[in-house]
Amino acid sequence: VLNKTSLEAVAAAQAIGKDLGLKATAVIPCGSGECTLAQEIAGYDLEKVIVAKSEKLGTYTPDGYADAWEQVIKATNPQYVVMSHTYQVRDFAPKVAARLGREVVGDVIRYRAEGGKLVLTRRIFLGKLDADVTVGGEAPYFVTFQSGSFRGENAAKGSAAVETMDVSVGDLRMTPE
């Protein structure tokens, strides 16, 4: 089901893309069967929608999502990975970033573009202060936006191609002691 925070992430990615001259792509995890959500997201102004397909993505697991996102990111080489700051994203995004030797700037409330890079603002000290953060090193840069930072209804409509990428998702095995 399309969540309002997913549309907020689309709106954020579109805004960043406009400011930095980049194209936005959406990634949709999909288990076995038809992924109707991809067609819904394809109705927005995106370069494309990638359906990360594996029967093991039918049920959320942090390792499964991390496996899928890692493969998509390595295959597409994005400048920024923009996500909503949800419990699921907080569960798997740091794992993906760590696998790629990167960090996540989480719970961002706004940004501004300066010199081709983003200055990200996030709340600190229980929301009493705002801190501006920049990331260094090589891309991709991982950013999660707090719910309400962008309005989902402001996501620009359009038409995007849908591509399927088969991903390999490992099994979580527990061995007896």
Side-chain angles (χ1 to χ4, degrees), residues 84-167:
S84 298
H85 193 77
T86 63
Y87 288 115
Q88 269 188 359
V89 169
R90 291 187 334 195
D91 198 26
F92 77 86
K95 183 182 295 256
V96 178
R99 289 179 183 181
L100 299 172
R102 306 296 186 268
E103 61 271 346
V104 177
V105 180
D107 221 9
V108 174
I109 58 169
R110 66 181 167 269
Y111 78 91
R112 69 181 182 277
E114 281 185 7
K117 288 249 186 180
L118 297 184
V119 177
L120 307 162
T121 303
R122 55 186 316 273
R123 296 262 156 90
I124 59 173
F125 297 113
L126 300 173
K128 293 181 183 356
L129 296 173
D130 290 349
D132 287 342
V133 178
T134 57
V135 290
E138 295 180 25
Y141 308 111
F142 289 78
V143 181
T144 69
F145 282 96
Q146 188 178 94
S147 179
S149 297
F150 287 84
R151 298 188 59 91
E153 62 265 17
N154 291 342
K157 298 279 189 175
S159 180
V162 177
E163 297 178 6
T164 299
M165 181 184 296
D166 291 322
V167 293

Side-chain angles (χ1 to χ4, degrees), residues 36-56:
T36 57
L37 184 59
Q39 293 305 321
E40 192 173 348
I41 293 290
Y44 288 88
D45 185 21
L46 299 165
E47 182 176 31
K48 61 185 166 185
V49 176
I50 298 172
V51 177
K53 190 110 170 142
S54 170
E55 64 182 40
K56 295 179 183 173

